[in-house]
Amino acid sequence: MIQENVPLAPMTTFGLGGAARWFVEVRSEVELAEGLAWAAAQGMPVFVLGGGSNLLVPDEGFPGLVLRIDIRGVQQDKPWSPEFFVGAGEAWDSFVDVAVDSNCAGIECLAGIPGRVGGTPVQNVGAYGQDVSQTIRQVRVFDRHRSELRWLTNDECRFRYRQSIFNTDEPGRYVVTAVVFQLRYGPPTLSYADLQKRFSARWKAPGLREVADAVREIRRSKGMLLVDGDPDTHSAGSFFKNPIVNAGLLGTIAATAGVAPEAVPHWPAGDGRIKLAAAWLLEHAGFVKGFTDGVVGISSRHTLALINRGGATFADVERFEQRIRATVEAKFGVTLTREPVVLG
């Protein structure tokens, strides 16, 4: 059923923005095709909404049709198989629990991430030593160019750091309806330093459930786990991507900050480039945890989480974002890129 003038702020973790002129809750692939056909006949723009955890809604809302994907279902290929067919509308964190309870490894370090399954291949969601591209075998999509349902293989998704065909190469062409995950039976991933430290004193290796629970605790301590009534978590997660720059810039950044090059957190990124920690850049530009700017600010627990302190508008967030980006670029010569998507 098509609804009119539906507020979108309650459907996002940031909790701000205007309304959708038209809105449909999509519960099947048939309803998806019908909604897209209706919008095409009206000549109106379409936006596909998942869990709203990586989304900023402008104050004026959206003048077209918003399709909120609520296609559910989790099916294991066979009782003994680590392969899962998951509807795009399933809550991601709930699926992590299903996998862990089935003793299937591969996504236990992605516990506590908000949003829905359909959004994970779009952003190539990752954290604590894992990302979904390592476990996705296929993605079922509606191809808006061909007006048909089809499957994309892992290679066809063109996964990169926080990127895929869905949000870079051909944005807007595909609508994800389901994802097939190829997990594995085996031990959890413990490549992330915080997890290694947490379990270092153990004589017995942790199980999948212990690791998933530990990840949620870490995320909670950093304000990256949604908690009702806690304004410190009213964010879109990490607001800025870790920038990738030429390795030759490292010395200049270190000198500007007054530290040795090895004191600047960085990792090899190939082709003479390095990845920098965006959080470190913000902190050394004066934007520390708990920094406030009117009704917006930075989480007291995570430098990269810009938050809605109550009553914020999209314009407030955009102004604060521009202030941070301009300051970091002026000081270090590094351009930060926003991670959340802006509707429209």
Side-chain angles (χ1 to χ4, degrees):
M1 179 184 296
I2 299 177
Q3 304 174 58
E4 296 185 56
N5 299 316
V6 176
L8 295 173
M11 302 181 196
T12 72
T13 54
F14 227 128
L16 54 78
R21 178 66 181 88
W22 304 98
F23 179 86
V24 174
E25 194 87 36
V26 175
R27 295 185 173 85
S28 70
E29 292 177 338
V30 172
E31 291 180 357
L32 172 61
E34 290 174 347
L36 290 170
W38 182 82
Q42 309 301 315
M44 67 173 59
V46 173
F47 183 82
V48 178
L49 174 65
S53 61
N54 196 50
L55 178 68
L56 295 174
V57 179
D59 298 323
E60 62 271 22
F62 187 67
L65 173 66
V66 171
L67 298 170
R68 190 184 194 196
I69 305 300
D70 196 34
I71 300 173
R72 302 298 183 96
V74 178
Q75 300 176 18
Q76 201 166 359
D77 183 45
K78 299 179 180 66
W80 59 88
S81 170
E83 182 176 293
F84 293 82
F85 178 99
V86 189
E90 286 289 336
W92 170 256
D93 201 32
S94 296
F95 171 55
V96 172
D97 278 335
V98 170
V100 167
D101 290 341
S102 300
N103 200 34
C104 292
I107 58 174
E108 64 281 353
C109 295
L110 304 181
I113 292 178
R116 301 188 179 188
V117 167
T120 61
V122 176
Q123 295 294 127
N124 187 18
V125 167
Y128 303 108
Q130 293 179 335
D131 61 62
V132 293
S133 66
Q134 298 165 332
T135 60
I136 289 176
R137 189 167 71 81
Q138 288 182 302
V139 179
R140 185 164 172 81
V141 299
F142 185 88
D143 185 339
R144 296 177 64 190
H145 288 187
R146 300 183 183 179
S147 295
E148 66 180 20
L149 289 160
R150 56 183 292 204
W151 288 98
L152 296 180
T153 65
N154 184 291
D155 287 343
E156 288 174 322
C157 291
R158 302 176 200 165
F159 290 119
R160 288 94 75 195
Y161 173 67
R162 300 297 177 269
Q163 293 182 342
S164 68
I165 191 175
F166 308 110
N167 65 358
T168 53
D169 304 307
E170 299 189 70
R173 175 174 178 174
Y174 301 106
V175 181
V176 177
T177 65
V179 184
V180 175
F181 294 90
Q182 183 67 55
L183 306 181
R184 59 178 171 78
Y185 292 117
T189 298
L190 290 175
S191 60
Y192 192 74
D194 280 4
L195 289 174
Q196 292 174 354
K197 182 178 179 181
R198 182 171 292 247
F199 295 110
S200 61
R202 290 273 302 268
W203 64 270
K204 181 181 178 182
L208 295 173
R209 171 56 61 192
E210 291 174 288
V211 170
D213 289 345
V215 167
R216 291 191 180 99
E217 289 177 16
I218 294 170
R219 293 184 67 84
R220 181 188 293 272
S221 71
K222 294 183 176 181
M224 304 297 279
L225 188 71
L226 293 178
V227 179
D228 290 339
D230 184 356
D232 223 21
T233 66
H234 291 174
S235 75
S238 294
F239 199 92
F240 297 106
K241 297 178 183 179
N242 289 327
I244 296 175
V245 302
N246 289 326
L249 191 58
L250 180 62
T252 302
I253 293 172
T256 301
V259 300
E262 56 268 23
V264 180
H266 64 280
W267 303 269
D271 297 325
R273 296 164 70 81
I274 56 173
K275 183 192 297 184
L276 299 171
W280 187 93
L281 294 170
L282 261 68
E283 289 167 356
H284 285 77
F287 299 101
V288 297
K289 295 174 184 176
F291 185 99
T292 60
D293 186 348
V295 290
V296 293
I298 293 175
S299 168
S300 65
R301 288 171 281 182
H302 196 297
T303 310
L304 289 185
L306 273 58
I307 60 171
N308 175 2
R309 301 180 62 229
T313 64
F314 174 82
D316 293 323
V317 174
E318 190 172 45
R319 174 185 51 77
F320 187 40
E321 173 195 357
Q322 291 171 350
R323 177 184 175 185
I324 293 173
R325 291 179 63 180
T327 303
V328 169
E329 186 159 11
K331 184 166 185 175
F332 296 112
V334 176
T335 301
L336 294 175
T337 303
R338 178 200 300 134
E339 187 160 331
V341 174
V342 175
L343 195 160

